[in-house]
Amino acid sequence: MRAVVFDLDGTLVDSVAAIADVGNSLMLELGLVALSVEEARGYIGNGAAKFVERALAARAIDADAATLAHHVERFEEIYGAAPGSANPPFAGAELALKTLKAE
């Protein structure tokens, strides 16, 4: 059996706007200035914890490990409640998956 593995966010679906929205929900809860979509795009990569760490650092928040873990947990809660429609597939993603499946 052969398999193909993809990272969903940013590979098959355009998730930057949804991630920015989720990040901004967290920023609002913390009383911090919202992120622009382009700013959020620059913080994406290496997982949710790294995104939250980068976003907080951009707002001059240096969180200790326990505080950062709490904020990451909250970010993931908000993201988990976001509608799937907030992450539309990239053009051609469906065709690519069908082609791979057929092969």
Side-chain angles (χ1 to χ4, degrees), residues 30-89:
L30 298 175
L32 300 173
V33 175
L35 308 168
S36 70
V37 171
E38 286 309 308
E39 185 180 14
R41 184 185 312 279
Y43 305 148
I44 294 172
N46 307 106
K50 199 49 113 166
F51 176 87
V52 173
E53 180 183 353
R54 291 170 178 152
L56 293 176
R59 299 299 182 259
I61 304 298
D62 184 23
D64 61 37
T67 303
L68 180 60
H70 171 76
H71 294 325
V72 170
E73 182 178 322
R74 181 64 186 130
F75 176 89
E76 290 175 341
E77 287 173 358
I78 298 166
Y79 192 86
S85 60
N87 296 295

